Amino acid sequence: RELSFDMPYLDQRIRGKIDRVDADEKGHYAIVDYKRGGDQRHLAGSLERGEFQLWLYSLIVEEGKTSLTPGEVEGAFYFSLKDMERKKGFRLKEAIGELFSLEEKSRNLLSREDKLAQYEKLKILISEIIQKMHGGEFNPDPKDKKECIKCDWRTVCRAPHLN
């Protein structure tokens, strides 16, 4: 099901919609975000690249910031509509495998401790973003300008290198 959220964070509100949340009878969740393209990167290093969508969705579901009962997110994935796969994302090593297949060879397996460490990094990143917003920093400044070539918004973006 699609899931909306609207939560306070520091002195801001964070609002959005999660494309899909699957649940099992034991209160475990898997999050799916649909993407038109097929070239999403793996989540390894995603926070350092400023990519935090799946981590944020996972955290807010686990912390009970949605209408769902709080529970552990065992996996979060980008589903590519181009190649009809959901390989990019993360799967917990400890997952029981009812919500998605467990692929032991996959690069996206991580431990519960690693997931919690990513949540702590995410909280710091969001705090930094909010501080920049309070300072009036709204300029588009992508971490990797090569990504702009593939971006659907490049024709309307205000980034100086695109004008």
Side-chain angles (χ1 to χ4, degrees), residues 10-135:
L10 298 176
D11 58 347
Q12 298 295 307
R13 296 204 70 74
I14 299 177
R15 297 181 193 114
K17 287 187 180 181
I18 303 171
D19 289 341
R20 178 174 152 187
V21 179
D22 295 338
D24 66 14
E25 302 84 35
K26 298 177 182 87
H28 301 120
Y29 297 106
I31 294 170
V32 179
D33 186 67
Y34 294 102
K35 297 293 185 193
R36 289 189 324 196
D39 56 351
Q40 286 74 41
R41 297 187 212 175
H42 284 279
L43 274 148
S46 60
L47 291 175
E48 291 75 16
R49 293 189 305 269
E51 301 167 6
F52 56 87
Q53 184 179 21
L54 288 180
W55 292 117
L56 176 64
Y57 292 171
S58 179
L59 177 66
I60 64 173
V61 167
E62 286 198 8
E63 289 189 347
K65 305 291 186 186
T66 70
S67 59
L68 297 173
T69 302
E72 181 163 50
V73 173
E74 290 189 331
F77 312 93
Y78 291 117
F79 184 90
S80 168
L81 297 173
K82 181 178 178 182
D83 55 20
M84 303 302 282
E85 292 186 354
R86 62 174 181 178
K87 295 186 295 190
K88 308 290 172 101
F90 75 82
R91 292 170 171 83
L92 279 186
K93 290 177 183 176
E94 300 90 353
I96 57 176
E98 289 185 13
L99 298 171
F100 48 84
S101 65
L102 298 174
E103 300 172 12
E104 291 301 322
K105 297 177 185 174
S106 179
R107 294 184 348 170
N108 57 15
L109 286 174
L110 79 156
S111 69
R112 188 171 283 118
E113 292 76 27
D114 290 338
K115 181 179 71 169
L116 295 175
Q118 291 298 307
Y119 287 166
E120 292 308 311
K121 287 182 187 178
L122 172 66
K123 290 174 184 178
I124 292 168
L125 176 63
I126 292 173
S127 296
E128 290 171 354
I129 291 169
I130 290 173
Q131 287 176 354
K132 286 181 180 179
M133 289 170 56
H134 283 288

